[in-house]
Amino acid sequence: MRQYRGNSDAIRSLVRSGEVHRDVYTDPELFELEMERLWHRAWVYVAHDSQVPKPGDYLTVQVAGQPLILLRSGDGQVRVLYNRCAHRGARLVSASAGNCGGLLRCPYHGWTYRLDGTLRTVPLKSGYAGSGFEESRAAHGLASVPAVAIHRGFVFVRLAADGPGFAEYFGESLTSIDNMADRSPEGRLEVVGGTLRYLHECNWKMFIENLNDTMHPMVAHESSAGTARDLWKDQPPEAAKPMVIEQFLPFVSNYDFFDKMGVKLFENGHSYTGVSFSIHSKYSAVPEYEARMVAAYGAERARAILSEIRHNTVYYPSLTVKGAIQTIRVVRPIAVNRTLIESFTLRLVGAPDSLLERSIMYNRLINAPTSVVGHDDLHCYRSIQEGLEADGNEWVSIHRNHAPGEEARAIAGVYNGTSEISVRGQFRAWLAAMA
Amino acid sequence: MASDAELIGFVYREARLIDEKRLDEWYELFAEDARYWIPLTRGQKSGLTENSLMFEDKLLLKVRIERLKNPHAYSQSQPSFCQHVLEAPGIEDRGAATGIAILRTPFLYLESRKDRQQVFAGVAWHHLRAVRGRLSIVLKKVELLNCDAALPSVELFP
């Protein structure tokens, strides 16, 4: 097993112009370094602020091995604190969500904190007189993460004290979140309906690389979406399609469809498929919704918003959003071969309920642990995780549409949809953080 | 209305059809307007506006059943098998007033694929309607004990 910590040359040797070394997916030391470097320097998604609407509302979230509390303080601000009592290090809050009232209280010795993390009370405080406690780290209360940014309610953190600014990190890729929020007549989103939690026994990058992978749906999803197509094929063309058929059918579109769909890359590993159109383009119209959008934005702006129908936007490394159907998936790496994917539906505030029902159905059909689409994707990721143990070839090919001199150019731009350039863009970002 | 023995026997038979992979016969047990629901949260109110693990109508059940016959269902190239172990179904309502009998059945459900076996537990609720002497499922609601856990692929039918 090679050594990577303290060996930038060894890390740099893992990424070649059209291939990457299998260790990036299988080596536990590289995974540790990813958490320390890539996942600390990046802006990582935590939660949506609609999940903590009232003062005292909180969520506990694990990000890159760090236990965090996201909470709404009394002044209305959203804060992200480390979930660690300043005393002996106990996890302060154990529940995944709740309301803590006006303070946080440790269950071990009862130290309390205000919602901004400052230390409020310590029992039998007289015992600390002259002890040096007042000058210690503990007296400052809970640590906050170094940087928090909120965009249209999406709360991101940067766990490293130094690193790129939020706007600089995401650039124009934020327009995907904007388009999703703008699809609400009130420009607001709300996470509703609970969290689907799908445990993936594979490296987190397998999932990320699948999001803009357009060469697999017609193969991997033949048995699921293809079955839906076969069950529907004898219907007359003008027959109204049930929502489930509308959602499944486009998955088995042909190579030409996916190639013309296009993929757009940004710096820092972000991208989206569905530049020209996407698998979401042909859902039936909802006249009541369109009327509300025109009333809110005027006909021209409403049309501009609704004609932007992106597929998966990747916010590298932690988040993917599907604005056209209002679902998001969050990547929570646990180990080199273990990743939790959490999927959420967002309600478009001010839109008719039928849009939420459509999002709920899509999230369940595609993202649940019971999803027939998910089963075949995860089967493939696990096949890779296991297949990479094989000797005889240590390299993973990401050559598709690689052009000579690609590495010398900035990677941002629009490309044909079946290119593997989105994966090459991700590894550029990976290498910049890791070496 | 069906007898207690017929209601209880129906629940046992339904589980056996799934476990023996007689899924076309299992499909025929569902009424045209039936739902097979595995809620995501305890006390969940709606499968339409809240996420669920399953909230299948007959069309979706048909997609699942037909997919399992497809040689390109790659996640099943090493096939999964399942086994239900049921407590005696309890009759909550004989349906005299509504025409719909309700049964409650605590269960264990195991899915096995080669060297991996997953165990699930929960309570199954069957809402059964008798039409011309034949029982059919209007609602099968499966309340999984660990509905809020991070779950692996669940590929058959709890």
Side-chain angles (χ1 to χ4, degrees):
Chain A
M1 205 161 276
R2 289 208 263 171
Q3 207 222 338
Y4 291 108
R5 188 179 290 281
N7 192 345
S8 290
D9 286 343
I11 295 178
R12 264 189 286 271
S13 75
L14 297 171
V15 181
R16 295 179 178 169
S17 67
E19 53 192 11
V20 294
H21 192 274
R22 66 173 174 184
D23 277 9
V24 305
Y25 301 105
T26 59
D27 187 279
E29 189 189 21
L30 276 174
F31 177 83
E32 291 301 322
L33 292 174
E34 281 180 337
M35 295 303 108
E36 290 167 27
R37 298 176 186 175
L38 173 64
W39 282 75
H40 267 62
R41 274 182 49 87
W43 285 88
V44 173
Y45 179 72
V46 181
H48 194 266
D49 70 2
S50 65
Q51 294 175 266
V52 288
K54 303 182 308 303
D57 283 346
Y58 68 82
L59 298 174
T60 53
V61 182
Q62 192 87 355
V63 171
Q66 297 296 305
L68 304 178
I69 305 168
L70 179 135
L71 64 82
R72 176 86 60 178
S73 52
D75 57 2
Q77 258 199 75
V78 169
R79 296 176 191 270
V80 186
L81 307 169
Y82 287 97
N83 193 1
R84 186 236 116 121
C85 180
H87 182 202
R88 304 291 280 279
R91 186 177 56 207
L92 206 52
V93 184
S94 295
S96 38
N99 185 292
C100 61
L103 54 82
L104 293 160
R105 184 170 185 271
C106 184
Y108 201 6
H109 304 94
W111 285 33
T112 68
Y113 304 85
R114 297 181 200 88
L115 298 184
D116 62 1
T118 52
L119 186 56
R120 187 176 163 274
T121 60
V122 173
L124 210 61
K125 189 74 186 292
S126 54
Y128 284 99
S131 69
F133 171 77
E134 288 303 330
E135 293 72 44
S136 77
R137 181 60 194 75
H140 289 115
L142 304 177
S144 295
V145 303
V148 180
I150 306 181
H151 186 82
R152 310 301 291 269
F154 286 72
V155 182
F156 292 85
V157 297
R158 192 190 66 215
L159 296 176
D162 298 308
F166 179 78
E168 175 201 341
Y169 183 72
F170 285 118
E172 288 288 301
S173 71
L174 290 175
T175 54
S176 292
I177 291 178
D178 288 329
N179 182 258
M180 178 155 59
D182 290 343
R183 282 165 174 272
S184 149
E186 295 181 30
R188 283 191 303 124
L189 296 166
E190 194 188 343
V191 166
V192 296
T195 313
L196 289 171
R197 310 178 69 219
Y198 196 168
L199 194 60
H200 283 44
E201 303 278 3
C202 67
N203 186 266
W204 63 274
K205 294 188 289 300
M206 314 283 184
F207 174 81
I208 286 283
E209 290 164 17
N210 173 274
L211 296 167
N212 289 162
D213 181 314
T214 51
M215 292 293 290
H216 82 280
M218 63 292 282
V219 177
H221 301 311
E222 166 61 33
S223 70
S224 52
T227 295
R229 174 199 59 211
D230 292 343
L231 286 175
W232 191 253
K233 71 176 189 297
D234 295 326
Q235 299 291 326
E238 65 277 6
K241 294 190 179 73
M243 214 184 287
V244 59
I245 298 292
E246 282 197 337
Q247 294 185 354
F248 267 142
L249 277 192
F251 275 82
V252 281
S253 301
N254 60 21
Y255 292 108
D256 188 59
F257 173 95
F258 282 106
D259 201 47
K260 292 210 166 58
M261 177 173 78
V263 62
K264 181 165 180 171
L265 267 65
F266 305 87
E267 298 301 318
N268 302 318
H270 319 302
S271 59
Y272 68 84
T273 32
V275 178
S276 318
F277 51 80
S278 77
I279 60 169
H280 309 298
S281 295
K282 292 251 166 52
Y283 295 157
S284 350
V286 181
E288 170 59 30
Y289 170 59
E290 279 151 33
R292 293 189 198 180
M293 287 292 283
V294 170
Y297 292 106
E300 199 186 315
R301 173 114 177 86
R303 192 178 323 117
I305 292 168
L306 296 179
S307 60
E308 190 70 54
I309 310 177
R310 300 177 190 180
H311 182 213
N312 287 324
T313 297
V314 177
Y315 288 107
Y316 190 72
S318 70
L319 174 68
T320 179
V321 315
K322 244 189 229 281
I325 193 81
Q326 301 95 51
T327 59
I328 67 174
R329 282 174 288 179
V330 186
V331 181
R332 302 283 186 220
I334 298 170
V336 69
N337 57 2
R338 204 152 211 257
T339 309
L340 172 60
I341 304 297
E342 296 194 313
S343 302
F344 300 87
T345 39
L346 290 95
R347 191 169 73 85
L348 299 171
V349 178
D353 280 351
S354 61
L355 266 78
L356 174 61
E357 290 174 17
R358 182 185 275 180
S359 303
I360 291 282
M361 177 179 287
Y362 189 91
N363 205 32
R364 187 182 76 246
L365 289 185
I366 309 302
N367 301 328
T370 47
S371 160
V372 288
V373 169
H375 291 161
D376 286 325
D377 277 335
L378 180 53
H379 172 79
C380 291
Y381 310 155
R382 292 187 51 189
S383 296
I384 297 176
Q385 199 72 37
E386 291 164 20
L388 288 177
E389 295 300 316
D391 291 330
N393 178 8
E394 296 180 3
W395 293 92
V396 172
S397 165
I398 50 171
H399 292 93
R400 182 172 282 282
N401 291 115
H402 181 271
E406 184 181 286
E407 283 71 35
R409 295 188 289 276
I411 205 155
V414 177
Y415 303 88
N416 62 301
T418 53
S419 175
E420 284 173 330
I421 194 160
S422 57
V423 181
R424 298 194 293 272
Q426 288 153 19
F427 277 106
R428 266 205 212 187
W430 187 90
L431 201 55
M434 292 289 283
Chain B
M1 214 47 229
S3 68
D4 286 10
E6 284 168 325
L7 292 172
I8 290 168
F10 183 95
V11 171
Y12 281 124
R13 181 161 177 268
E14 190 239 347
R16 181 171 176 171
L17 288 177
I18 298 171
D19 295 341
E20 293 184 351
K21 293 197 175 178
R22 292 157 63 185
L23 296 176
D24 290 334
E25 292 174 70
W26 180 62
Y27 178 80
E28 295 305 325
L29 299 183
F30 287 86
E32 286 314 300
D33 60 336
R35 283 284 183 181
Y36 173 41
W37 187 20
I38 308 182
L40 181 64
T41 59
R42 295 178 182 86
Q44 183 168 338
K45 296 281 187 296
S46 168
L48 285 176
T49 55
E50 298 174 60
N51 287 298
S52 307
L53 293 166
M54 296 238 213
F55 188 61
E56 316 299 78
D57 57 13
K58 269 194 106 167
L59 175 58
L60 281 169
L61 283 180
K62 186 64 112 161
V63 171
R64 288 183 178 274
I65 292 169
E66 292 304 306
R67 172 180 173 264
L68 289 172
K69 299 173 187 170
N70 190 319
H72 297 152
Y74 297 114
S75 74
Q76 287 294 303
S77 50
Q78 178 77 47
S80 299
F81 296 92
C82 68
Q83 181 65 51
H84 289 77
V85 181
L86 306 183
E87 222 179 84
I91 300 177
E92 299 279 306
D93 186 334
R94 280 180 184 73
T98 59
I100 304 220
I102 301 177
L103 291 98
R104 175 185 178 276
T105 312
F107 69 88
L108 293 177
Y109 168 79
L110 292 85
E111 258 189 36
S112 159
R113 178 161 56 211
K114 206 159 182 213
D115 298 331
R116 287 178 166 238
Q117 185 163 259
Q118 308 275 359
V119 185
F120 298 91
V123 174
W125 296 85
H126 287 78
H127 292 216
L128 305 179
R129 178 196 292 148
V131 176
R132 282 185 293 278
R134 207 176 140 261
L135 286 169
S136 62
I137 301 172
V138 175
L139 171 67
K140 180 182 175 186
K141 184 164 86 154
V142 176
E143 295 177 331
L144 283 184
L145 184 66
N146 66 343
C147 54
D148 55 352
L151 295 175
S153 292
V154 179
E155 302 212 32
L156 298 176
F157 304 98

